[in-house]
Amino acid sequence: STSYGNIPGSSDGSKDSGKTDTSDTSKPGTSDSSSPSSPDSSKNTESSSSPGTSKDTGYTTTTKIINGIAQADDGNWYYYTKNVVDTSYTGLAKYNGSQWYVKNGKIDFSTTSLIKYNNTWWYVVNGQVDTKSKTIVKYDGSWYYVSGGKYTQSYTGLLKYNGEWWYIKSGKVSFTTTMCRYNGVWWYIHNGKVDFSATTLCKYGNTWYAVSGGKMADKYTGLLKYSDSWWYVKNGKVDFNATTLC
């Protein structure tokens, strides 16, 4: 018999051996494999038991037809089709207001990754879609921006992650050197992140700009050393037409 009505929220120890890639929350460009902070588990007003801790002690039924997620007598959470565990199903399933990742008919609490479902890449943490986080997630060697529970390709800008500000271009961390306008300020990006220590020149478009303290120095006029040469800067830009004393 099968009992149901509780909300999943703790790992059952299974491992995802599929194509998904465990999310690496180390800084982009490093190899640290520490896991990200998981969101608070969803609350269940019907019962305080949770998968992996104790078996559901609620009412059981053998007559009601179950379609979707329910907890079995063994304490695990399964995906049912007409009262039968559907081991052919792998994907997301809604239960008690949240989306859960089901693999081969069973919630996979070990998965923290991006999961493709219905042509959208969803951010799953410990088996549950995380709709609250704005972060970057490593998947298949690249870092992706997620917001509202899914990969957001339309975003270009900066994001603070692990104490540093990273440059996102079209929803993906771009390990480049450039300028990025964010909150009304032009910031200097070096190898994908804001370099607050930089005093240098940076080419953006067809213009070379002066940088100080990690941002554009648009009021600076004077000399600035770059690549073993001294350049004349006027109002924050290299003046290639200048022939003067400075």
Side-chain angles (χ1 to χ4, degrees):
S1 64
T2 302
S3 57
Y4 58 96
N6 299 325
I7 184 166
S10 61
S11 174
D12 63 357
S14 61
K15 292 187 176 294
D16 178 11
S17 57
K19 194 175 180 180
T20 57
D21 176 27
T22 300
S23 174
D24 180 354
T25 59
S26 58
K27 298 180 182 179
T30 67
S31 60
D32 184 68
S33 59
S34 59
S35 298
S37 296
S38 301
D40 292 338
S41 299
S42 300
K43 303 296 184 181
N44 177 23
T45 59
E46 299 177 13
S47 173
S48 60
S49 63
S50 60
T53 57
S54 62
K55 188 172 69 174
D56 181 17
T57 58
Y59 294 104
T60 60
T61 179
T62 57
T63 57
K64 182 177 176 64
I65 297 177
I66 302 174
N67 288 300
I69 294 174
Q71 187 182 36
D73 288 339
D74 63 3
N76 291 315
W77 293 81
Y78 296 98
Y79 181 83
Y80 290 84
T81 300
K82 295 182 179 180
N83 283 353
V84 178
V85 175
D86 188 352
T87 58
S88 68
Y89 182 73
T90 294
L92 298 181
K94 192 172 183 179
Y95 182 82
N96 210 4
S98 296
Q99 293 282 351
W100 299 87
Y101 175 58
V102 176
K103 183 180 179 184
N104 298 330
K106 182 180 180 181
I107 292 182
D108 186 353
F109 295 101
S110 69
T111 293
T112 295
S113 181
L114 292 176
I115 300 294
K116 190 175 184 180
Y117 179 73
N118 285 348
N119 296 318
T120 298
W121 286 92
W122 297 92
Y123 179 42
V124 174
V125 176
N126 296 330
Q128 182 181 14
V129 174
D130 179 4
T131 60
K132 298 180 181 179
S133 295
K134 286 187 178 181
T135 186
I136 50 178
V137 180
K138 190 176 184 180
Y139 181 83
D140 199 22
S142 296
W143 288 82
Y144 296 92
Y145 173 76
V146 296
S147 177
K150 57 187 176 181
Y151 162 53
T152 307
Q153 187 177 8
S154 61
Y155 181 72
T156 294
L158 299 179
L159 177 73
K160 191 175 184 179
Y161 178 79
N162 278 2
E164 297 186 283
W165 287 86
W166 297 91
Y167 174 54
I168 315 295
K169 184 178 181 180
S170 299
K172 187 177 177 180
V173 175
S174 177
F175 295 93
T176 187
T177 297
T178 185
M179 303 291 293
C180 175
R181 185 177 176 87
Y182 181 77
N183 284 347
V185 177
W186 283 93
W187 297 94
Y188 173 62
I189 311 298
H190 183 61
N191 292 334
K193 60 185 178 181
V194 177
D195 185 352
F196 294 98
S197 66
T199 297
T200 184
L201 294 175
C202 180
K203 187 177 182 180
Y204 183 77
N206 294 319
T207 303
W208 285 85
Y209 294 94
V211 172
S212 179
K215 58 186 177 181
M216 185 184 295
D218 54 0
K219 296 181 180 180
Y220 177 72
T221 295
L223 296 178
L224 191 62
K225 190 175 183 180
Y226 178 79
S227 190
D228 294 326
S229 296
W230 287 90
W231 299 88
Y232 176 63
V233 176
K234 184 178 181 180
N235 296 327
K237 298 184 287 188
V238 174
D239 186 353
F240 292 99
N241 296 318
T243 301
T244 184
L245 292 174
C246 178

